[in-house]
Amino acid sequence: MRELAVAMIGAGFMGKAHSLAYAMAPVAYRLPAGLRRRLVVDVVEDVARAAAGDFGFEEAATSWRSAVERDDIDVVDIVTPNDSHAEIAVAAAERGKHILCEKPMAIDAPSAERMWRSAERAGVVNMVGFNYRHVPAIAYVRQLIDTGQLGTPYVFRSTYLQDWGLAGGPLVWRFERARAGSGALGDIGSHAIDCAEYLLGEIRRVCGRLATFTSTRPIAGSNGAIGIVDVDDAATFMAEFASGVTGVFTATRHAWSRKNQLAFELDASRGALKFNWDARDELYLALADDAEAVRGFRQLSMGPAHPDPWWPIAGLGTGYLETTVNQLRDFVHAIVDGGTARPNFADGLHVQRVVDAVIESSRVHGWVDVPAAAAVTV
Ligand SMILES: NC(=O)c1ccc[n+]([C@@H]2O[C@H](COP(=O)([O-])OP(=O)(O)OC[C@H]3O[C@@H](n4cnc5c(N)ncnc54)[C@H](O)[C@@H]3O)[C@@H](O)[C@H]2O)c1
Protein backbone atom coordinates (compact mmCIF):
# COMPACT_ATOMS: atom_id res chain seq x y z
CA MET A 1 0.00 0.00 0.00
CA ARG A 2 1.16 3.53 -0.75
CA GLU A 3 2.55 5.48 2.19
CA LEU A 4 2.34 9.26 2.66
CA ALA A 5 5.20 10.80 4.63
CA VAL A 6 4.08 13.81 6.67
CA ALA A 7 6.06 16.85 7.83
CA MET A 8 4.01 18.67 10.46
CA ILE A 9 5.05 22.29 11.00
CA GLY A 10 4.13 23.52 14.49
CA ALA A 11 3.84 21.40 17.61
CA GLY A 12 1.46 23.29 19.88
CA PHE A 13 -2.21 22.76 20.72
CA MET A 14 -3.32 21.88 17.21
CA GLY A 15 -0.14 19.90 16.48
CA LYS A 16 -1.29 17.51 19.18
CA ALA A 17 -4.77 17.20 17.64
CA HIS A 18 -3.35 16.50 14.16
CA SER A 19 -0.89 13.95 15.55
CA LEU A 20 -3.72 12.09 17.23
CA ALA A 21 -5.61 12.17 13.91
CA TYR A 22 -2.63 10.59 12.10
CA ALA A 23 -2.64 7.81 14.66
CA MET A 24 -6.41 7.31 14.74
CA ALA A 25 -7.44 7.70 11.09
CA PRO A 26 -6.02 4.35 9.85
CA VAL A 27 -7.89 2.59 12.69
CA ALA A 28 -11.15 4.47 12.24
CA TYR A 29 -11.24 4.17 8.45
CA ARG A 30 -9.77 1.81 5.85
CA LEU A 31 -7.57 4.45 4.23
CA PRO A 32 -6.08 3.99 0.73
CA ALA A 33 -2.61 4.97 2.00
CA GLY A 34 -0.54 4.58 5.13
CA LEU A 35 0.36 7.70 7.12
CA ARG A 36 3.96 8.01 8.25
CA ARG A 37 4.72 10.66 10.87
CA ARG A 38 8.12 11.42 9.38
CA LEU A 39 9.13 14.88 10.65
CA VAL A 40 7.85 17.42 13.18
CA VAL A 41 9.12 21.00 12.98
CA ASP A 42 8.88 23.72 15.61
CA VAL A 43 10.93 26.91 15.87
CA VAL A 44 11.48 26.09 19.53
CA GLU A 45 13.96 23.23 19.51
CA ASP A 46 12.90 21.72 22.84
CA VAL A 47 9.28 21.75 21.73
CA ALA A 48 10.17 20.02 18.45
CA ARG A 49 12.24 17.36 20.21
CA ALA A 50 9.60 16.69 22.85
CA ALA A 51 6.90 16.54 20.19
CA ALA A 52 8.77 13.92 18.19
CA GLY A 53 8.60 11.63 21.22
CA ASP A 54 5.14 12.59 22.47
CA PHE A 55 3.39 12.78 19.10
CA GLY A 56 5.15 9.81 17.49
CA PHE A 57 7.27 11.45 14.77
CA GLU A 58 10.51 9.88 13.55
CA GLU A 59 12.50 13.12 13.45
CA ALA A 60 12.43 16.65 14.87
CA ALA A 61 13.72 19.84 13.24
CA THR A 62 13.49 23.63 13.62
CA SER A 63 13.44 24.83 9.99
CA TRP A 64 10.26 24.51 7.96
CA ARG A 65 12.20 25.58 4.84
CA SER A 66 14.49 22.56 5.01
CA ALA A 67 11.45 20.37 5.68
CA VAL A 68 9.55 21.40 2.56
CA GLU A 69 12.71 20.93 0.45
CA ARG A 70 13.03 17.27 1.39
CA ASP A 71 12.28 14.65 -1.25
CA ASP A 72 11.09 12.12 1.31
CA ILE A 73 8.09 14.29 2.35
CA ASP A 74 4.69 13.99 0.59
CA VAL A 75 2.46 16.08 2.85
CA VAL A 76 3.13 19.39 4.60
CA ASP A 77 0.75 19.97 7.51
CA ILE A 78 0.73 23.61 8.65
CA VAL A 79 -0.24 24.09 12.32
CA THR A 80 1.68 27.27 13.09
CA PRO A 81 0.25 30.70 14.02
CA ASN A 82 -1.58 32.33 11.13
CA ASP A 83 1.18 34.72 9.97
CA SER A 84 3.37 31.88 8.70
CA HIS A 85 0.71 29.88 6.81
CA ALA A 86 1.14 31.67 3.47
CA GLU A 87 4.93 31.52 3.27
CA ILE A 88 5.04 27.84 4.22
CA ALA A 89 2.15 26.86 1.93
CA VAL A 90 3.54 28.66 -1.12
CA ALA A 91 6.97 27.07 -0.65
CA ALA A 92 5.41 23.64 -0.08
CA ALA A 93 3.24 23.92 -3.21
CA GLU A 94 6.27 24.92 -5.28
CA ARG A 95 7.95 21.71 -4.10
CA GLY A 96 4.88 19.68 -5.10
CA LYS A 97 3.76 18.79 -1.57
CA HIS A 98 0.13 18.21 -0.69
CA ILE A 99 -0.94 20.72 1.95
CA LEU A 100 -3.21 20.53 4.97
CA CYS A 101 -3.33 24.01 6.52
CA GLU A 102 -5.01 25.09 9.73
CA LYS A 103 -7.58 27.87 9.76
CA PRO A 104 -7.87 30.73 9.30
CA MET A 105 -6.10 30.15 6.01
CA ALA A 106 -3.96 33.30 6.36
CA ILE A 107 -3.83 36.73 7.98
CA ASP A 108 -5.64 38.37 5.06
CA ALA A 109 -7.25 37.61 1.70
CA PRO A 110 -4.25 38.62 -0.49
CA SER A 111 -2.08 36.09 1.39
CA ALA A 112 -4.78 33.43 1.08
CA GLU A 113 -5.05 34.17 -2.63
CA ARG A 114 -1.29 33.63 -3.10
CA MET A 115 -1.63 30.25 -1.36
CA TRP A 116 -4.58 29.27 -3.52
CA ARG A 117 -2.83 30.28 -6.76
CA SER A 118 0.35 28.37 -5.84
CA ALA A 119 -1.56 25.22 -4.98
CA GLU A 120 -3.68 25.42 -8.15
CA ARG A 121 -0.60 25.91 -10.35
CA ALA A 122 1.22 23.03 -8.67
CA GLY A 123 -1.85 20.76 -8.84
CA VAL A 124 -1.40 19.62 -5.26
CA VAL A 125 -4.24 18.60 -2.96
CA ASN A 126 -5.00 21.40 -0.51
CA MET A 127 -7.30 21.57 2.47
CA VAL A 128 -8.09 24.02 5.29
CA GLY A 129 -8.77 22.77 8.82
CA PHE A 130 -12.34 23.97 9.22
CA ASN A 131 -13.08 20.78 11.11
CA TYR A 132 -16.62 21.65 12.21
CA ARG A 133 -17.86 20.80 8.72
CA HIS A 134 -17.02 17.24 9.64
CA VAL A 135 -19.37 17.13 12.65
CA PRO A 136 -22.03 14.52 11.74
CA ALA A 137 -24.94 16.77 12.78
CA ILE A 138 -23.65 19.64 10.61
CA ALA A 139 -23.07 17.34 7.64
CA TYR A 140 -26.65 16.10 8.15
CA VAL A 141 -27.96 19.68 8.12
CA ARG A 142 -26.35 20.04 4.70
CA GLN A 143 -28.20 16.89 3.53
CA LEU A 144 -31.51 18.26 4.84
CA ILE A 145 -30.97 21.49 2.92
CA ASP A 146 -29.69 19.85 -0.29
CA THR A 147 -32.59 17.38 -0.45
CA GLY A 148 -35.11 20.21 -0.06
CA GLN A 149 -36.65 18.81 3.14
CA LEU A 150 -36.47 22.23 4.79
CA GLY A 151 -37.81 24.12 1.78
CA THR A 152 -36.29 27.52 1.08
CA PRO A 153 -33.74 28.70 3.69
CA TYR A 154 -34.62 32.17 5.03
CA VAL A 155 -32.55 33.25 8.05
CA PHE A 156 -29.36 31.79 9.59
CA ARG A 157 -28.27 32.90 13.10
CA SER A 158 -24.87 31.84 14.34
CA THR A 159 -22.92 32.44 17.54
CA TYR A 160 -19.44 31.21 18.37
CA LEU A 161 -18.70 32.00 22.02
CA GLN A 162 -15.69 31.32 24.24
CA ASP A 163 -14.63 32.90 27.56
CA TRP A 164 -10.86 32.44 27.78
CA GLY A 165 -10.24 36.04 26.61
CA LEU A 166 -11.77 37.30 29.89
CA ALA A 167 -9.14 35.72 32.11
CA GLY A 168 -6.68 38.62 31.68
CA GLY A 169 -4.05 36.27 30.28
CA PRO A 170 -0.85 37.35 28.49
CA LEU A 171 -0.54 38.87 25.05
CA VAL A 172 -0.33 35.56 23.15
CA TRP A 173 -0.12 35.69 19.34
CA ARG A 174 -3.91 35.46 19.06
CA PHE A 175 -4.14 39.08 20.33
CA GLU A 176 -1.65 40.48 17.81
CA ARG A 177 -2.90 41.58 14.43
CA ALA A 178 0.45 41.01 12.71
CA ARG A 179 0.46 37.36 13.79
CA ALA A 180 -3.24 36.49 13.83
CA GLY A 181 -4.78 38.82 11.22
CA SER A 182 -7.80 39.47 13.41
CA GLY A 183 -9.11 38.42 16.81
CA ALA A 184 -12.26 36.45 17.57
CA LEU A 185 -13.42 37.10 14.00
CA GLY A 186 -10.68 35.13 12.23
CA ASP A 187 -10.00 32.71 15.08
CA ILE A 188 -13.48 31.35 15.76
CA GLY A 189 -15.75 33.47 13.55
CA SER A 190 -14.01 31.94 10.51
CA HIS A 191 -15.29 28.49 11.59
CA ALA A 192 -18.85 29.85 11.73
CA ILE A 193 -18.46 31.49 8.32
CA ASP A 194 -17.16 28.26 6.80
CA CYS A 195 -20.07 26.30 8.29
CA ALA A 196 -22.51 28.86 6.92
CA GLU A 197 -21.02 28.82 3.41
CA TYR A 198 -20.84 25.01 3.48
CA LEU A 199 -24.56 24.87 4.29
CA LEU A 200 -25.95 27.81 2.36
CA GLY A 201 -23.44 28.92 -0.29
CA GLU A 202 -21.45 32.10 -0.62
CA ILE A 203 -21.91 35.25 1.43
CA ARG A 204 -21.84 38.24 -0.89
CA ARG A 205 -22.21 41.29 1.39
CA VAL A 206 -21.63 42.05 5.08
CA CYS A 207 -22.20 44.82 7.59
CA GLY A 208 -20.37 44.45 10.88
CA ARG A 209 -18.95 45.91 14.04
CA LEU A 210 -15.77 44.85 15.81
CA ALA A 211 -15.10 45.71 19.44
CA THR A 212 -12.08 45.33 21.75
CA PHE A 213 -12.81 45.13 25.48
CA THR A 214 -9.41 44.19 26.93
CA SER A 215 -7.09 46.60 25.19
CA THR A 216 -3.82 45.80 26.99
CA ARG A 217 -2.28 42.58 28.29
CA PRO A 218 0.95 41.63 30.04
CA ILE A 219 3.73 40.50 27.73
CA ALA A 220 4.69 36.97 28.72
CA GLY A 221 8.12 36.65 30.37
CA SER A 222 8.80 40.42 30.26
CA ASN A 223 8.82 41.42 33.95
CA GLY A 224 5.51 43.26 33.89
CA ALA A 225 5.70 45.03 30.52
CA ILE A 226 2.30 45.71 28.98
CA GLY A 227 1.39 45.17 25.31
CA ILE A 228 -1.44 46.52 23.18
CA VAL A 229 -4.22 44.27 21.88
CA ASP A 230 -4.88 45.39 18.30
CA VAL A 231 -7.51 42.82 17.32
CA ASP A 232 -11.23 42.41 18.04
CA ASP A 233 -12.53 40.70 21.15
CA ALA A 234 -15.99 40.50 19.58
CA ALA A 235 -17.22 40.57 15.99
CA THR A 236 -20.89 40.89 15.09
CA PHE A 237 -22.16 41.14 11.54
CA MET A 238 -25.14 40.76 9.28
CA ALA A 239 -24.65 38.91 6.02
CA GLU A 240 -26.47 38.60 2.74
CA PHE A 241 -25.91 35.30 0.97
CA ALA A 242 -25.89 35.05 -2.85
CA SER A 243 -28.98 32.83 -2.47
CA GLY A 244 -30.84 35.64 -0.69
CA VAL A 245 -30.56 34.06 2.77
CA THR A 246 -30.01 36.54 5.63
CA GLY A 247 -27.30 35.74 8.17
CA VAL A 248 -26.52 37.13 11.63
CA PHE A 249 -23.21 36.23 13.28
CA THR A 250 -21.49 36.90 16.61
CA ALA A 251 -18.04 35.60 17.56
CA THR A 252 -16.38 36.50 20.83
CA ARG A 253 -13.84 35.14 23.30
CA HIS A 254 -15.37 37.38 26.01
CA ALA A 255 -18.58 35.43 26.78
CA TRP A 256 -18.52 34.21 30.38
CA SER A 257 -18.96 30.50 30.86
CA ARG A 258 -19.35 29.65 27.20
CA LYS A 259 -16.31 27.43 26.58
CA ASN A 260 -16.55 26.49 22.92
CA GLN A 261 -20.13 27.18 21.99
CA LEU A 262 -20.53 27.10 18.24
CA ALA A 263 -24.29 27.23 17.76
CA PHE A 264 -26.67 28.10 14.95
CA GLU A 265 -30.31 28.13 14.00
CA LEU A 266 -31.86 28.06 10.56
CA ASP A 267 -35.40 29.10 9.66
CA ALA A 268 -36.68 27.86 6.33
CA SER A 269 -40.03 27.71 4.53
CA ARG A 270 -40.76 24.05 5.44
CA GLY A 271 -38.87 23.70 8.71
CA ALA A 272 -36.31 24.94 11.18
CA LEU A 273 -33.33 23.53 13.03
CA LYS A 274 -31.01 24.23 15.95
CA PHE A 275 -27.44 23.01 16.53
CA ASN A 276 -25.19 23.59 19.55
CA TRP A 277 -21.66 22.15 19.93
CA ASP A 278 -22.31 21.70 23.66
CA ALA A 279 -24.62 18.84 22.60
CA ARG A 280 -22.93 18.07 19.31
CA ASP A 281 -24.51 14.67 18.78
CA GLU A 282 -27.96 16.19 18.78
CA LEU A 283 -29.88 18.15 16.23
CA TYR A 284 -33.22 19.83 16.89
CA LEU A 285 -35.46 19.68 13.83
CA ALA A 286 -39.01 20.95 13.22
CA LEU A 287 -40.82 20.16 9.97
CA ALA A 288 -43.93 21.87 8.62
CA ASP A 289 -45.22 18.54 7.26
CA ASP A 290 -45.62 17.04 10.74
CA ALA A 291 -49.21 16.57 11.94
CA GLU A 292 -50.32 19.69 13.78
CA ALA A 293 -50.79 17.90 17.12
CA VAL A 294 -47.11 16.83 17.26
CA ARG A 295 -45.55 19.74 15.44
CA GLY A 296 -42.49 21.14 17.18
CA PHE A 297 -38.78 20.54 17.61
CA ARG A 298 -37.78 16.88 17.80
CA GLN A 299 -34.39 15.89 19.18
CA LEU A 300 -32.37 13.70 16.81
CA SER A 301 -29.45 11.67 18.12
CA MET A 302 -26.72 11.24 15.54
CA GLY A 303 -25.86 7.66 14.61
CA PRO A 304 -25.64 5.18 11.74
CA ALA A 305 -28.52 6.88 9.86
CA HIS A 306 -26.49 10.08 9.61
CA PRO A 307 -23.19 11.07 7.92
CA ASP A 308 -19.85 9.86 9.26
CA PRO A 309 -21.06 7.38 11.91
CA TRP A 310 -18.23 6.02 14.05
CA TRP A 311 -20.22 3.41 15.95
CA PRO A 312 -23.06 0.99 15.15
CA ILE A 313 -25.44 2.60 17.65
CA ALA A 314 -26.46 6.22 18.07
CA GLY A 315 -25.55 8.42 21.00
CA LEU A 316 -22.06 7.12 21.82
CA GLY A 317 -20.63 10.49 20.93
CA THR A 318 -18.42 12.05 18.34
CA GLY A 319 -16.07 14.76 19.52
CA TYR A 320 -13.41 17.20 18.45
CA LEU A 321 -10.85 14.54 17.54
CA GLU A 322 -13.28 12.60 15.41
CA THR A 323 -13.83 15.71 13.28
CA THR A 324 -10.09 16.03 12.63
CA VAL A 325 -9.96 12.34 11.72
CA ASN A 326 -12.87 12.73 9.27
CA GLN A 327 -11.06 15.72 7.78
CA LEU A 328 -7.84 13.72 7.36
CA ARG A 329 -9.74 10.83 5.75
CA ASP A 330 -11.06 13.15 3.02
CA PHE A 331 -7.59 14.65 2.51
CA VAL A 332 -5.94 11.23 2.05
CA HIS A 333 -8.66 10.07 -0.36
CA ALA A 334 -8.19 13.19 -2.49
CA ILE A 335 -4.44 12.53 -2.71
CA VAL A 336 -4.77 8.87 -3.63
CA ASP A 337 -8.06 8.79 -5.57
CA GLY A 338 -7.83 12.24 -7.18
CA GLY A 339 -10.25 15.14 -6.90
CA THR A 340 -10.35 17.75 -4.21
CA ALA A 341 -10.76 17.68 -0.45
CA ARG A 342 -13.23 20.21 0.97
CA PRO A 343 -12.88 22.74 2.41
CA ASN A 344 -10.03 23.45 0.03
CA PHE A 345 -7.97 26.61 -0.47
CA ALA A 346 -10.68 28.13 -2.68
CA ASP A 347 -13.17 27.69 0.19
CA GLY A 348 -10.65 29.06 2.70
CA LEU A 349 -9.94 32.04 0.48
CA HIS A 350 -13.60 32.94 0.33
CA VAL A 351 -13.93 32.72 4.12
CA GLN A 352 -10.91 35.04 4.34
CA ARG A 353 -12.60 37.47 1.95
CA VAL A 354 -15.64 37.53 4.24
CA VAL A 355 -13.38 38.13 7.28
CA ASP A 356 -11.60 41.00 5.52
CA ALA A 357 -14.93 42.47 4.41
CA VAL A 358 -16.23 42.45 8.01
CA ILE A 359 -13.09 44.28 9.16
CA GLU A 360 -13.53 46.86 6.40
CA SER A 361 -17.25 47.16 7.14
CA SER A 362 -16.54 47.94 10.79
CA ARG A 363 -14.01 50.60 9.69
CA VAL A 364 -16.35 52.36 7.25
CA HIS A 365 -19.58 51.77 9.25
CA GLY A 366 -21.45 50.29 6.32
CA TRP A 367 -22.11 47.35 4.00
CA VAL A 368 -19.13 45.91 2.11
CA ASP A 369 -19.29 43.53 -0.88
CA VAL A 370 -17.44 40.21 -0.79
CA PRO A 371 -15.89 39.18 -4.13
CA ALA A 372 -17.33 35.89 -5.42
CA ALA A 373 -15.01 32.88 -5.49
CA ALA A 374 -15.62 32.64 -9.26
CA ALA A 375 -14.12 36.13 -9.63
CA VAL A 376 -10.65 34.68 -9.01
CA THR A 377 -8.72 32.88 -11.77
CA VAL A 378 -5.32 31.20 -11.57
N1 LIG B 1 -9.30 23.85 13.75
C1 LIG B 1 -9.33 24.23 15.01
O1 LIG B 1 -10.29 24.00 15.73
C2 LIG B 1 -8.14 24.96 15.59
C3 LIG B 1 -7.98 25.04 16.99
C4 LIG B 1 -6.85 25.69 17.49
C5 LIG B 1 -5.94 26.27 16.63
N2 LIG B 1 -6.15 26.21 15.28
C6 LIG B 1 -5.20 26.85 14.35
O2 LIG B 1 -3.97 26.09 14.37
C7 LIG B 1 -2.87 26.96 14.21
C8 LIG B 1 -1.92 26.78 15.38
O3 LIG B 1 -2.60 27.13 16.57
P1 LIG B 1 -2.19 26.48 17.98
O4 LIG B 1 -3.31 26.72 18.90
O5 LIG B 1 -1.70 25.08 17.79
O6 LIG B 1 -0.98 27.44 18.38
P2 LIG B 1 0.12 27.19 19.49
O7 LIG B 1 0.62 28.54 19.86
O8 LIG B 1 -0.38 26.27 20.55
O9 LIG B 1 1.27 26.38 18.71
C9 LIG B 1 1.93 26.90 17.61
C10 LIG B 1 3.33 26.25 17.54
O10 LIG B 1 3.96 26.68 16.33
C11 LIG B 1 5.32 26.99 16.61
N3 LIG B 1 5.77 27.93 15.58
C12 LIG B 1 5.51 29.25 15.48
N4 LIG B 1 6.05 29.74 14.35
C13 LIG B 1 6.65 28.71 13.72
C14 LIG B 1 7.40 28.58 12.51
N5 LIG B 1 7.59 29.64 11.72
N6 LIG B 1 7.91 27.36 12.19
C15 LIG B 1 7.71 26.30 13.00
N7 LIG B 1 7.01 26.36 14.16
C16 LIG B 1 6.49 27.54 14.51
C17 LIG B 1 5.30 27.56 18.02
O11 LIG B 1 6.59 27.47 18.62
C18 LIG B 1 4.25 26.68 18.69
O12 LIG B 1 4.82 25.54 19.29
C19 LIG B 1 -3.45 28.39 14.10
O13 LIG B 1 -3.59 28.73 12.74
C20 LIG B 1 -4.82 28.26 14.75
O14 LIG B 1 -5.75 29.21 14.31
C21 LIG B 1 -7.21 25.55 14.76
Side-chain angles (χ1 to χ4, degrees):
M1 187 169 65
R2 186 172 166 188
E3 192 171 61
L4 298 172
V6 177
M8 188 178 77
I9 321 292
F13 162 25
M14 217 46 199
K16 179 177 180 179
H18 282 216
S19 301
L20 284 162
Y22 289 119
M24 286 167 67
V27 180
Y29 294 106
R30 198 165 292 139
L31 294 180
L35 293 167
R36 182 171 173 189
R37 277 165 278 166
R38 186 81 186 82
L39 175 68
V40 59
V41 179
D42 199 287
V43 275
V44 183
E45 192 174 356
D46 289 350
V47 170
R49 218 179 294 118
D54 296 344
F55 299 168
F57 283 80
E58 293 167 25
E59 275 181 60
T62 54
S63 163
W64 64 261
R65 274 190 197 285
S66 314
V68 303
E69 292 294 325
R70 281 172 56 155
D71 291 332
D72 62 344
I73 297 296
D74 304 297
V75 167
V76 171
D77 183 4
I78 305 171
V79 274
T80 53
N82 311 341
D83 60 330
S84 50
H85 292 185
E87 205 181 3
I88 300 171
V90 169
E94 285 169 356
R95 291 290 300 182
K97 312 299 184 194
H98 303 294
I99 307 164
L100 178 56
C101 180
E102 261 309 331
K103 50 49 61 181
M105 192 165 150
I107 55 167
D108 54 25
S111 307
E113 195 169 324
R114 279 194 287 120
M115 295 165 73
W116 173 78
R117 281 182 200 285
S118 303
E120 285 294 304
R121 271 194 219 110
V124 295
V125 171
N126 48 86
M127 192 177 203
V128 184
F130 286 120
N131 54 303
Y132 292 99
R133 275 192 190 211
H134 307 284
V135 174
I138 296 180
Y140 184 56
V141 171
R142 164 92 183 237
Q143 283 185 9
L144 287 167
I145 295 169
D146 285 356
T147 54
Q149 292 174 77
L150 291 173
T152 306
Y154 290 151
V155 178
F156 182 78
R157 288 175 299 281
S158 164
T159 50
Y160 198 154
L161 311 177
Q162 297 182 339
D163 69 356
W164 61 270
L166 284 155
L171 191 80
V172 293
W173 64 264
R174 283 181 163 82
F175 296 112
E176 294 181 72
R177 185 169 191 147
R179 301 210 68 198
S182 63
L185 174 62
D187 187 17
I188 52 178
S190 64
H191 274 302
I193 295 165
D194 179 69
C195 278
E197 295 204 311
Y198 167 62
L199 297 174
L200 297 161
E202 281 184 17
I203 291 170
R204 72 171 172 202
R205 197 165 293 135
V206 293
C207 183
R209 179 170 192 272
L210 305 183
T212 304
F213 311 118
T214 307
S215 52
T216 59
R217 288 177 181 271
I219 297 172
S222 73
N223 262 343
I226 296 294
I228 305 288
V229 173
D230 57 359
V231 297
D232 55 284
D233 287 328
T236 299
F237 64 98
M238 288 187 289
E240 181 185 314
F241 290 74
S243 62
V245 171
T246 298
V248 185
F249 295 76
T250 291
T252 182
R253 303 178 295 206
H254 276 60
W256 272 122
S257 240
R258 268 60 60 83
K259 302 301 176 189
N260 188 49
Q261 199 184 86
L262 171 63
F264 61 78
E265 297 188 357
L266 175 66
D267 301 317
S269 60
R270 304 298 303 158
L273 53 80
K274 302 191 277 191
F275 170 82
N276 186 334
W277 172 259
D278 288 348
R280 64 201 69 112
D281 274 320
E282 292 169 4
L283 184 68
Y284 286 83
L285 175 69
L287 292 171
D289 289 339
D290 285 345
E292 193 176 349
V294 294
R295 207 175 283 161
F297 281 99
R298 68 187 76 169
Q299 178 189 334
L300 309 183
S301 193
M302 293 299 115
H306 305 103
D308 291 331
W310 271 54
W311 312 113
I313 59 171
L316 289 182
T318 43
Y320 189 66
L321 264 179
E322 283 88 335
T323 66
T324 62
V325 171
N326 294 346
Q327 164 181 289
L328 186 57
R329 171 204 60 197
D330 293 355
F331 182 66
V332 171
H333 272 288
I335 293 171
V336 177
D337 306 337
T340 184
R342 305 288 294 272
N344 55 25
F345 279 10
D347 299 314
L349 168 58
H350 201 265
V351 171
Q352 199 67 52
R353 285 175 181 271
V354 175
V355 166
D356 284 16
V358 173
I359 295 170
E360 177 63 4
S361 161
S362 180
R363 195 182 67 79
V364 302
H365 303 293
W367 285 88
V368 170
D369 289 345
V370 182
V376 193
T377 48
V378 182

